[in-house]
Amino acid sequence: MRIPIVILIGLVLAAPLAAQTRPRGRDLGIPFPGKTGPNNAITDVAGIAVGHVTLIEGEGKLIPGKGPIRTGVTAILPRPKGNWDPVFAATFNLNGNGDMTGVNWIKESGFMEGPILLTGTHSVGTVRDAAIQWQLNNGRKFIFTYPIVAETFDFLNDANGEHVKPMHALQALDNAKPGRVQEGAVGGGTGMGCNGFKGGIGTSSRLLAAEQGGYTIGVLVQCNYGGDLRILGVPIRQEITDLRACTTLPQPLTREWTRGMPSCTSDRGANDVPEAQQYEGRGSIIVIVATDAPLLPHQLERLTRRVGMGLGRLGSWAGNSSGDLFLAFSTANPGAGSPEGTPSLKMLPNDQIDPLFRATIDATEEAVVNAMLAADTMTGADGIRLFGLPGDRVVAALKKYNRMK
């Protein structure tokens, strides 16, 4: 059965978001450490905007080139539209089984030029090319450029079908806005799974105290990795064992690597389905860290190295098949990339950087949890079903282990 295509564009609104009905972590009372910005999002760093395009069409058995389609594009603008001033940036790979275009020049120059886009693995080329045209169409002048496009594998999608088109990347960029950010199964995160549940896009922020500089850290993740999910140290996966990845269709499935997937109607316990546990161990995560603190590239790389500590809190082991790719940038030091003169720079002393390290770790942890809590249960290609992380059961587990009252 075919259902009409759904294209959800620019899901970043200042008004209440009717499309996101599931509560975030703090809405449930989860006591994450640290003070957040007003949106608890990467957009709490002034000037940053985020937009999504979400593509959902079809259901049932995978027909290559036709569907089902569960994919999209997420765009992040590091500066307001029309402001092409480069930002200091750095990257780090915790495990490199993935792709982020444009990073060679970031590592060489210390600057990032233009937007960041997130999508599915096999859509990187299309999105990259569209990013060039969008920048040209919006007034950026360059001889050549290296767009930043990062990916994770959207396995609920007909990933080889090339369903993301240039117009989808252009729409995500055009509709990027500051303010609240839509989370869950949206944009580049539409077809993703995380820690055995439905994954996707998540975000969080931290606001440092005035005596620490009053700086803001914002994190956005595209969550598609596998691990032994823990929240505030509580073994959530051990507490919720009945919601494993499964398929609604009879075997054999179209893709060979899914043919051990257990049936959703199976009455076997979770500990008796090693295929599901192995399947959940696959995946990747992209983490984007933004700050208004005046950090230079070598300091931003130090931030990216702390991202993995946040993921470790959540039970990630950064497996062999995982692309755990991180990028950090600073909106401070405007004009530093000017080709003329000798720019004057500000730099936060290294002895004052520890609060930013902790904020990065804390915001990464919360952003992943927000991604999972926001995502509804989704059934995709070949009837593969990933369950949304049930907030009420998370709260019950946290109370059981005395992490919540």
Side-chain angles (χ1 to χ4, degrees), residues 24 26 33-46 48 88 181 202-209 212-221 287-296 299-307 310 327-332 348 352-367 370:
R24 308 178 80 195
R26 289 180 186 247
K35 179 181 179 181
T36 74
N39 299 296
N40 192 13
I42 193 171
T43 50
D44 288 328
V45 179
I48 293 178
F88 281 133
V181 176
T203 189
S204 185
S205 68
R206 291 296 184 274
L207 181 62
L208 270 58
Q212 298 172 329
Y215 302 116
T216 300
I217 284 278
V219 171
L220 185 142
V221 305
V287 182
I288 308 299
V289 182
T291 185
D292 56 6
L295 302 184
L296 299 187
Q299 296 175 306
L300 289 165
E301 182 177 350
R302 297 181 72 192
L303 282 193
T304 63
R305 291 177 180 272
R306 269 63 183 184
V307 168
L327 182 152
F329 66 89
S330 169
T331 61
L348 187 72
Q352 299 178 30
I353 204 171
D354 281 353
L356 293 171
F357 288 163
R358 180 165 186 172
T360 299
I361 296 166
D362 291 345
T364 297
E365 177 185 27
E366 186 170 351
N370 282 339

Side-chain angles (χ1 to χ4, degrees), residues 153-156 189-200 223-224 237 243-248 261 264 276 279-280 375-380 383-389:
F153 183 63
D154 41 8
F155 55 88
L156 292 182
T190 302
M192 309 302 173
C194 192
N195 291 305
F197 295 93
K198 184 67 188 73
C223 175
N224 193 48
R237 177 40 97 189
L243 300 180
R244 292 284 187 182
C246 60
T247 178
T248 62
M261 180 69 61
C264 293
Y279 184 80
E280 291 169 3
D376 288 309
T377 297
M378 178 177 284
T379 304
I384 295 176
R385 177 172 293 166
L386 293 176
F387 292 91
L389 181 64

Side-chain angles (χ1 to χ4, degrees), residues 107-144:
K107 292 178 180 179
E108 183 74 17
S109 70
F111 286 106
M112 182 182 74
E113 305 168 4
I116 303 164
L117 295 107
L118 311 179
T119 190
T121 302
H122 293 170
S123 297
V124 168
T126 297
V127 172
R128 177 193 178 278
D129 293 348
I132 294 174
Q133 296 307 311
W134 185 83
Q135 292 176 80
L136 287 170
N137 294 340
N138 283 273
R140 185 179 170 213
K141 299 183 185 301
F142 52 83
I143 299 173
F144 51 81

Side-chain angles (χ1 to χ4, degrees), residues 70 159 177 332 338 365:
R70 305 285 188 273
K177 294 178 177 63
S338 173
E365 177 185 27

